[in-house]
């Protein structure tokens, strides 16, 4: 039986601030263990989202996608938390899908309802191979993690608040 | 002829078109074309814009960390780097021959990787082009379009990849960043319940993989002349082969065939790879250009990957895939095929072989054994070569007396194919773009040729909003007259 809430933490721990997702996963796993919430919340960590992650959404009550963001006003610091739905977003992309694309793949599979889903986009700055998290990104992660654990994961998914910093656009 | 398009004779006055980055390949690539006022093509280049720093990243680390840390080089084939590094470090710790349990566990992991990677490439990245046509509506030409138009094919693709990922999880210990392979062996056996769970699914996986071979075979044969000439560039074929020349993705000696199929090099040990190939640097690309020393940089370039492997081996040691290999060879009329689109057919035959091999391994009780580690006299240098999904992957390390890596040289599959990809897109440009007004569909022909090789251009950085695709059109004076961006925020 899957936990009702799944949190995807996406990123490469050796690519500078792309490690925001994996770093969030580490903190979240420790927090879930300490709070005895493993039956309610599952963390899935991966380098990037792909088609099979649609199957990880099967039977969930809610999903959160945690990833680093770095471009433009859409991803202003320290973090951005907002609901998403299936979007037929035509990404040129690589092998990876955006969170909305994963939901869209699921929506097209028979008898697989799409759960409510949110993105937690944490602002990063530098993404060089071999670099660790930048001090700025560490600060953004601390703020995002506090919000995620104190205002989101303790509450029922239908009451989760969006948290859009001033200037955020989508 | 098409190698003439590498560098324009008189670039002044030509306009530049850039496909930046190339879509649906792993990582960052850029194609630039120089055209004259009549749209005739004078120069075509595939640039790799983010492929650097790996060796520096590894130097100074303890050798036992390397099989784990190298997985972070790539978000798509981490298992290949994990195993190539582990093989090199086996040499360092004197483990010349692994225990049967360790070798079979590694093979299971590796063939799981081959299965999931090939499924992803075919169903997710390439089937949209092949099912809908290269010039079809770009809004439909993607995996979501496949899900809508061919839901069963898309579902099978997703589940095939999912199965391969599960094989990796149970052998590597984790879905990503696994630690299964260690210098000298494996740190985990398969549990009986893990084996039984995989056995329940593997027969369906074999059946779906066989269906996939027949799907691409039908597509290929429905337009055989076009598939055979699209971007075709004859070259040598380079791969590992196992005992008696059988297809083997994990272990073997290096074999090279000339473009006409004649054997050129046979039985070259992995430790002797540097005597076989060298690398040339060109000023316009970060990626090097490997070549066979015996033929030199001008003529010694070669292809690796499924098309090379299927035609380099003498047989495939599983019955269904061997039957499909024979059909492939017969279809080609006994001469090697050099068309990039034939990669897809070869790739699906390999996926079927991977599924059959996984099935056979799951019936082998050695997977459940406890003897997983071996060792011997420590040495300072180790080389590990495997056949990764995209082709031959070479890891070469030197380790100092403090157990720290002092030298690392990685030659990845995509680097081997660098010249072949460049020549293929020049061939496509010469045949299909020359003198025609460029459209998105026509430019996609270039991308189709690149994608057939399944290049991995090193990018696990995928943060939200990165990787925009930008197409810029310059006039003869160098002024940007049109710009098109798609994809990212």
């Amino acid at each position: 039986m899957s936990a009702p809430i799944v949190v995807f933490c996406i990123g490469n721990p050796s690519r500078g601030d792309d490690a925001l997702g994996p770093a969030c996963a580490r903190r979240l796993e420790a927090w879930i263990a300490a709070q005895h919430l493993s039956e309610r919340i599952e963390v899935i960590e991966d380098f990037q989202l792909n088609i099979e992650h649609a199957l990880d959404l099967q039977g969930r009550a809610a999903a959160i996608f945690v990833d680093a963001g770095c471009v433009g006003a859409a991803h202003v610091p320290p973090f951005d938390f907002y609901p998403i739905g299936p979007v037929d977003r035509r990404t040129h992309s690589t092998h990876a899908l955006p969170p909305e694309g994963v939901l869209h793949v699921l929506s097209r599979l028979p008898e697989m309802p799409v759960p409510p889903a949110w993105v937690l986009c944490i602002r990063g700055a530098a993404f060089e191979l071999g670099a660790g998290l930048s001090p700025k990104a560490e600060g953004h992660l601390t703020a995002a993690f506090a919000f995620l654990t104190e205002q989101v994961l303790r509450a029922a998914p239908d009451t989760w608040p969006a948290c859009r910093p001033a200037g955020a656009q989508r | 002829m098409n190698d003439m398009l590498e560098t324009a004779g008189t670039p002044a006055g030509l306009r530049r078109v850039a496909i930046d980055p190339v879509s649906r390949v792993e990582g960052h690539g850029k194609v630039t074309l120089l055209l004259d006022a009549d749209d005739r093509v004078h120069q075509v280049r595939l640039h790799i814009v983010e492929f650097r720093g790996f060796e520096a990243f590894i130097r100074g680390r303890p050798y036992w960390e390397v099989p784990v840390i190298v997985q972070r080089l790539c978000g798509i084939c981490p298992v290949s780097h994990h195993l190539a590094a582990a093989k090199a470090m086996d040499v360092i710790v004197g483990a010349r021959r692994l225990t049967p349990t360790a070798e079979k566990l590694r093979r299971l992991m590796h063939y799981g990787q081959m299965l999931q990677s090939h499924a992803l490439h075919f169903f997710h990245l390439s089937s949209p082009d092949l099912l809908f046509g290269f010039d079809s509506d770009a809004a439909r030409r993607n995996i979501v379009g496949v899900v809508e138009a061919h839901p069963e094919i898309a579902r099978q693709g997703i589940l095939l990849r999912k199965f391969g990922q599960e094989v990796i999880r149970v052998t590597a210990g984790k879905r990503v960043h696994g630690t299964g392979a260690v210098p000298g062996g494996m740190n985990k056996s398969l549990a009986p319940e893990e084996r039984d769970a995989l056995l329940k699914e593997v027969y369906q996986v074999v059946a779906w993989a066989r269906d996939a071979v027949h799907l691409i075979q039908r597509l290929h044969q429905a337009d055989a002349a076009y598939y055979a000439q699209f971007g075709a560039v004859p070259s040598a074929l380079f791969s590992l082969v196992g005992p008696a020349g059988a297809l083997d993705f994990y272990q073997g000696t290096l074999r090279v065939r000339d473009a006409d199929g004649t054997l050129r090099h046979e039985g070259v040990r992995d430790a002797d790879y540097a005597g076989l190939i060298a690398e040339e640097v060109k000023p316009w690309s970060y990626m090097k250009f490997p070549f066979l020393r015996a033929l030199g940089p001008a003529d010694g370039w070669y292809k690796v990957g499924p098309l090379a492997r299927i035609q380099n081996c003498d047989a495939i040691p599983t019955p269904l895939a061997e039957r499909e290999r024979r059909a492939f060879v017969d279809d080609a009329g006994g001469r090697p095929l050099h068309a990039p689109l034939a990669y897809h057919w070869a790739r699906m035959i390999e996926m079927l072989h991977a599924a059959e091999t996984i099935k056979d391994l799951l019936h082998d009780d050695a997977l459940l054994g406890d003897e997983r580690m071996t060792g011997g006299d420590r040495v300072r240098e180790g080389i590990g070569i495997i056949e990764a999904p995209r082709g031959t992957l070479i890891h070469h390390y030197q380790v100092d007396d403090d157990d720290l890596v002092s030298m690392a040289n990685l030659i990845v599959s995509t680097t081997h194919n660098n010249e072949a990809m460049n020549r293929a897109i020049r061939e496509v440009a010469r045949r299909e773009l020359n003198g025609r007004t460029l459209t998105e569909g026509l430019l996609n022909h270039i991308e189709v040729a690149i994608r057939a090789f399944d290049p991995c251009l090193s990018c696990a950085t995928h943060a939200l909003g990165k990787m925009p695709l930008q197409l810029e059109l310059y006039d003869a004076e160098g002024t940007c007259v049109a710009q098109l961006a798609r994809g990212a925020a």
Side-chain angles (χ1 to χ4, degrees), chain B residues 403-421:
Chain B
D403 289 346
L404 303 179
V405 174
S406 55
M407 188 285 291
N409 185 35
L410 276 56
I411 304 178
V412 302
S413 320
T414 300
T415 305
H416 292 293
N417 275 334
N418 194 4
E419 182 67 20
M421 287 191 293

Side-chain angles (χ1 to χ4, degrees), chain B residues 53-108:
Chain B
F54 290 0
E55 285 87 350
F57 174 63
I58 294 163
R59 276 198 300 272
R61 293 185 180 269
Y63 74 82
W64 57 82
E65 267 188 9
V66 173
V68 173
I69 207 79
V70 291
Q71 295 178 88
R72 298 180 181 179
L73 301 179
C74 178
I76 279 297
C77 47
V79 170
S80 303
H81 287 292
H82 180 53
L83 290 176
K87 284 185 70 176
M89 295 310 172
D90 291 341
V91 179
I92 298 286
V93 301
R96 296 285 169 176
R97 188 174 184 85
L98 297 184
T99 68
T101 293
E103 180 173 335
K104 286 171 183 176
L105 284 165
R106 285 195 189 176
R107 281 185 181 274
L108 184 61

Side-chain angles (χ1 to χ4, degrees), chain A residues 10 12 14-15 18 45-47 50 52-53 56 67-68 70 88 90 92-95 104 108 129-130, chain B residues 24-26 50 72 74-75 125 139 142 144 147 161-162 165 175-177 460-462 464 466-467:
Chain A
I10 305 302
N12 184 333
S14 293
R15 287 269 186 171
D18 201 37
E45 181 189 345
D46 214 327
F47 277 178
N50 227 308
E52 74 274 11
H53 290 110
D56 291 319
D67 200 351
C70 63
D88 194 4
R90 302 307 179 184
H92 64 283
S93 192
T94 60
H95 288 65
H104 194 257
R108 291 294 181 245
L129 180 66
Chain B
R24 280 182 289 138
V25 297
E26 179 59 17
E50 198 195 7
R72 298 180 181 179
C74 178
L125 300 179
N142 53 46
V144 178
V147 169
R161 172 159 161 96
K162 180 88 174 172
Q165 295 285 62
R175 189 155 142 175
V176 292
H177 315 160
T461 301
H462 62 286
L464 294 168
K466 288 205 87 175
M467 298 188 201

